[in-house]
Amino acid sequence: MNVIFLGPPGAGKGTQAQRVCDALKIPQISTGDILRRAIKEQTPTGLQAKSYIDAGKLVPDEVVIAIVRERLAMDDCKNGYILDGFPRTVPQAEALSTFANIDAVIDLDVADEALVARLSGRRVCLNCGATYHISMYKDTKCQKCGEPVIQRDDDKPETVLARLTTYHAQTAPLVEYYEKKGILHAIDGAQDMDVIYNTILKTLGA
Ligand code: AMP
């Protein structure tokens, strides 16, 4: 199963993708996590990506396409994967179609007002990518790997609105793009997390 998780920032893509990947024993490929790691390690890609991420803009297509192409060629992707946060533009989706066969696209739909509240309370582990919300998790260390959990710079209010604008302008058209291909499954992302998780598994026939 090669699956894309689509949806605005804060819709729960990362959280759900992690759970589904654990259950199906396939890798979660998050371009956001890969880019944040590159920034932390100050690689050339990281240095190039940082200003875009900090401004709530998208990193240029050619940069992320190269990252994903290389990642999907790795051995652990042979039995399937979940793409979390890629593609985010129509040119990315078109490029993807030249080197991957996508079976299903899960679109998590959440209203903007709810997203702002979710993103501003979100905390993330930069080491393993686990995400938490301050309303439910008060610890300063990651439950999974013990590293510190922090607020992402781009989850601060001034950048959140820019990211939502970017989503509506550049990523939302992918809903129609994949609908036309007949592989889009829209799921109400405002529902309880367990309900969403079970709906995803059922949709994927897992
Ligand atoms: P995320 O963790 O998925 O919310 O991604 C964080 C940031 O990384 C985004 O706001 C973008 O600046 C950048 N990014 C992640 N994935 C992509 C992508 N597929 N295309 C362009 N930029 C991306």
Side-chain angles (χ1 to χ4, degrees), residues 7-137:
K13 294 187 301 291
T15 308
Q16 294 292 347
Q18 194 161 35
R19 248 179 113 175
V20 174
C21 284
D22 284 350
L24 303 185
K25 303 209 173 0
I26 54 175
Q28 171 190 7
I29 297 164
S30 156
T31 39
D33 282 351
I34 294 170
L35 291 168
R36 277 185 289 282
R37 208 166 305 130
I39 291 173
K40 199 173 155 202
E41 290 166 4
Q42 300 193 315
T43 67
T45 301
L47 295 173
Q48 193 184 357
K50 189 174 177 352
S51 60
Y52 294 97
I53 295 183
D54 287 349
K57 294 189 175 151
L58 295 182
V59 173
D61 286 339
E62 59 273 20
V63 175
V64 280
I65 290 167
I67 289 174
V68 172
R69 187 196 291 268
E70 199 177 305
R71 183 64 188 86
L72 294 189
M74 289 181 185
D75 255 8
D76 63 338
C77 293
K78 293 237 155 59
N79 297 322
Y81 46 80
I82 291 179
L83 282 168
D84 157 20
F86 182 95
R88 257 177 157 102
T89 64
V90 171
Q92 287 180 22
E94 282 168 350
L96 179 68
S97 72
T98 67
F99 58 84
N101 283 322
I102 300 301
D103 301 297
V105 179
I106 301 289
D107 177 37
L108 289 175
D109 198 18
V110 179
D112 279 8
E113 304 77 66
L115 295 172
V116 175
R118 285 189 189 188
L119 290 168
S120 55
R122 179 160 78 173
R123 298 294 180 267
V124 59
C125 172
L126 282 186
N127 183 49
C128 74
T131 57
Y132 303 95
H133 196 274
I134 46 169
S135 60
M136 282 151 60
Y137 194 78

